[in-house]
Amino acid sequence: MAEGEELSKKQAAQEATIRKLRAQIREFEEEKQRLNSKIQVEETKVESIKRDKAATEKLLQETIERNQTELAAQKEFYTNALNTAKEAEALAESRVNTEAKV
């Protein structure tokens, strides 16, 4: 009888331990699911940021290229204008010198 009671107590203690462990397993599974959800949200944010970064870099590169083209055109325009002004100045000096000789 005493042996039966002792076995019964041991079994009850083991069952209580099993219940606690199962409850812990459930808690860990819930925590795992919650963390996996957070990871997915963060991965989505990272992908979105990567797409935004790529689009911004592309836009920046296009802007740089467009500005370089505009600067090259302006440089050519002003170089031509400067050359024309220099030619006009040389022509005017030549006329002045010719008139001075006359």
Side-chain angles (χ1 to χ4, degrees), residues 69-95:
T69 303
E70 289 175 10
L71 284 174
Q74 287 178 357
K75 180 181 177 183
E76 184 178 349
F77 172 78
Y78 288 116
T79 301
N80 290 339
L82 180 62
N83 289 337
T84 302
K86 285 181 180 179
E87 288 172 8
E89 181 185 18
L91 183 60
E93 284 182 16
S94 174
R95 283 185 189 162

Side-chain angles (χ1 to χ4, degrees), residues 51-85:
R51 283 192 303 273
D52 290 347
K53 179 185 175 197
T56 302
E57 286 176 348
K58 182 180 178 186
L59 181 62
L60 179 61
Q61 187 62 35
E62 289 172 356
T63 303
I64 288 170
E65 290 172 4
R66 185 176 61 248
N67 287 341
Q68 286 176 339
T69 303
E70 289 175 10
L71 284 174
Q74 287 178 357
K75 180 181 177 183
E76 184 178 349
F77 172 78
Y78 288 116
T79 301
N80 290 339
L82 180 62
N83 289 337
T84 302

Side-chain angles (χ1 to χ4, degrees), residues 4-22:
E5 283 181 32
E6 187 178 324
L7 286 174
S8 176
K9 287 179 183 178
K10 281 184 181 179
Q11 184 177 356
Q14 287 176 344
E15 287 175 359
T17 302
I18 289 172
R19 279 192 299 275
K20 287 178 187 177
L21 291 173
R22 285 185 179 153

